[in-house]
Amino acid sequence: MTAFLPGERFHHGEGLLYRTDARVKLLVVVAFAFAVTAIPEGRWRAFVAFALFVAVAIAISRLPLWLVLRRSLLALPFVLAAVPLIFTRAGDTVATLPVLGWTISDTGLIAVASILLKSWLAVLMAVVLTSTTRPLDLIRALERLHVPRILASTVFFMYRYLFVIGGEGQRMMRARESRSALMPDVRGGGTIAWRARVLGTMVGTLFIHSFSRSERIYAAMLARGYDGTVRFIEESSLSRTDRILGAIAFIALGGLVLVARL
Amino acid sequence: MTIPLLPIYMHIPDGFLSVPVATVMYVITAIIIGAAVRQTNRHLKESTAPLMGVLAAFIFAAQMMNFPVAGGTSGHMLGGALAAILVGPWAAVLIMTTVIGVQALIFQDGGLAALGANIFNMGILTAFTGYAIYRTVVSVLRGTRASMLVGSFAAAWISVMLAALMTSAQLAISDTSPWSVVLPAMLGVHVLIGIGEGLITAGAVGLVLSARPDLLRSATSAVTQKLSSSGYSGESAS
């Protein structure tokens, strides 16, 4: 349970993608997610073309391949939701399960393979984005893409205090474990309702502490001249390279979507 | 080994929703977030930024605190109903949007094209239904302490079930999981997860009710009075 707070996703490195403006990267990755979603089932050539796009992105990111692959697989526990399609889609029977007698259809297999490939390709691009972009740059990109200010500043403050409050939650969990010694081969703990109440009390305490902390933060901000607007450091506009890279990526994505639809 | 139950079933990755479903959910979610931004700006004024951000970090942390269930599995809470009970539905929408958005953007929990659907299911739906159920139970039972606890439990349980139902519906309409499979599976699992969510939510509300009842007297007004009229109250809980 100690692996509790999510680790840092940024992977230190150098290269073109590290220098690219976070706005460009974010827009390209979101557009890519939609483009991949639009591939019709079973268009294997389209999948290969999209995979080439991802391969180029990984190559110019100069991230270690194993790191990208490992992170992409960790993000895919949802896959089970798609598996029943193997049995339920109408189509020619490919095989029959020995005991249950369920039939696997060819269209079902194609559908499941397509869905899994789509989510994997999209996750790979998201991993490239978060591994080459500092979280704060990503949050500033939101603000500069005109996400409503209150939302952008909420994200900003959340990220600032996530590790503080998460750490407090983590200490509460550790305290709970320390108080509840487990003997080998003896079933520990009370009823589910009792355990839930213990956790509920911890969550409630964490809320009160968080609320009080926000009051102190607000007071500290007032003392430093806060007037109701959160100011972000103004940064330079998009560089020439950013524009060119963004344009290439969007033209390539447009081409891929056309090819996939043909 | 602990298996966090909710993320497996709730954060939809890309590729599982069809383009129309993903797009429609994006548009609906964007409209509601726009309304939430306007509502929250009107009610919470300048103190909003740190309060909302810290509470979003709180929900994120609360989601990580796990709850041993059985057989080495553990559940954890979603928190949409709890957030709505504590700070009102509009602020809860923004808090949950932030949490779910950061989970997708920085930690790859859920897809970016599916983000609209994920925010709708886990943030908007849970905040509004949770809040409505809580308020209804509390007013029907005349605002007693017991009514708040029962209301919190019902709000959390029903909102989790609705989120599961909505996720199933989107997968079924996208032709990713057939109704006959996804619906019983999702609802069956979440009947139990929802009980955990309900008990934890009621426990948390009970604790706040004992320690700082002023924060709960009226969800939204507690927040506004606390921070915008008096500025800093000067007290700090332990």
Side-chain angles (χ1 to χ4, degrees), chain A residues 93-108:
Chain A
T93 302
V94 180
T96 308
L97 284 196
V99 183
L100 296 166
W102 295 354
T103 55
I104 296 175
S105 69
D106 55 349
T107 47

Side-chain angles (χ1 to χ4, degrees), chain A residues 20-44:
Chain A
T20 308
D21 190 284
R23 285 173 289 181
V24 173
K25 286 187 278 188
L26 179 59
L27 289 179
V28 169
V29 172
V30 172
F32 181 87
F34 269 98
V36 149
T37 305
I39 308 175
E41 280 172 9
R43 291 287 166 81
W44 307 123

Side-chain angles (χ1 to χ4, degrees), chain B residues 57-78:
Chain B
F58 153 71
I59 291 289
F60 207 120
Q63 288 192 351
M64 290 163 180
M65 297 168 91
N66 57 25
F67 169 45
V69 182
T73 61
S74 71
H76 70 78
M77 68 184 322
L78 193 52

Side-chain angles (χ1 to χ4, degrees), chain A residues 192-205:
Chain A
I192 296 276
W194 181 82
R195 294 181 201 195
R197 224 185 68 199
V198 170
L199 186 53
T201 308
M202 285 159 64
V203 170
T205 308

Side-chain angles (χ1 to χ4, degrees), chain A residues 78 81 85 119 130 158 218 226, chain B residues 8 14 46 60 105 176-177:
Chain A
F78 201 90
L85 273 183
S119 34
T130 50
M158 174 188 155
Y218 178 55
Y226 176 61
Chain B
I8 296 177
D14 284 329
E46 79 278 12
F60 207 120
L105 201 56
T176 298
S177 279

Side-chain angles (χ1 to χ4, degrees), chain B residues 9 30 34 68 76 88 121 144 160 172 175 180 203-204:
Chain B
Y9 294 103
H76 70 78
N121 302 343
T144 57
V160 165
D175 211 10
S180 57

Side-chain angles (χ1 to χ4, degrees), chain A residues 1 4-7 9 26 29-30 33-34 37-38 75 77-79 81-82 84-85 88-89 115-116 118-119 122 126-127 130 135 138 142 148 150-151 153-155 157-159 161-162 165-166 169 172-173 176 192-193 195-196 199-212 214-219 221 226 228 230, chain B residues 8-19 22-23 26 33 37 40-41 46-58 60-62 64-69 77 82 86 94 97-99 102 105-108 112-113 171 175-178 181 199-200 203-204 207-208 211-212 215 226-227 231-233 235-238:
Chain A
M1 94 93 220
F4 167 80
L5 276 178
R9 294 301 153 116
L26 179 59
V29 172
V30 172
F34 269 98
T37 305
F78 201 90
V79 292
L85 273 183
T88 54
R89 270 286 168 89
I115 290 168
L116 296 186
K118 285 180 185 189
S119 34
V127 169
T130 50
L138 216 44
L142 291 180
I150 179 173
L151 211 50
S153 57
T154 301
V155 175
F157 275 99
M158 174 188 155
Y159 199 77
Y161 289 99
L162 177 59
I165 293 181
M172 288 172 144
M173 299 282 283
R176 183 181 72 178
I192 296 276
R195 294 181 201 195
L199 186 53
T201 308
M202 285 159 64
V203 170
T205 308
L206 193 62
F207 167 73
I208 293 174
H209 288 188
S210 306
F211 197 97
S212 310
S214 82
E215 291 176 324
R216 294 196 297 275
I217 293 166
Y218 178 55
M221 286 165 64
Y226 176 61
V230 177
Chain B
I8 296 177
Y9 294 103
M10 285 282 198
H11 289 273
I12 307 173
D14 284 329
F16 282 71
L17 297 182
S18 65
V19 175
T23 311
Y26 243 98
I33 291 174
V37 165
T40 316
N41 278 337
E46 79 278 12
S47 61
T48 311
L51 176 68
M52 303 280 285
V54 171
L55 291 186
F58 153 71
F60 207 120
M64 290 163 180
M65 297 168 91
N66 57 25
F67 169 45
V69 182
M77 68 184 322
L82 178 63
L86 294 172
L94 294 188
T97 297
T98 304
V99 171
V102 167
L105 201 56
I106 298 180
F107 302 111
Q108 271 85 59
L112 291 174
L171 292 176
D175 211 10
T176 298
S177 279
V181 175
L199 291 170
I200 298 167
L207 189 276
V208 175
R212 287 285 298 273
L215 299 187
K226 200 76 207 154
L227 284 173
Y232 177 53
S233 67
E235 71 183 295
S236 65
S238 64

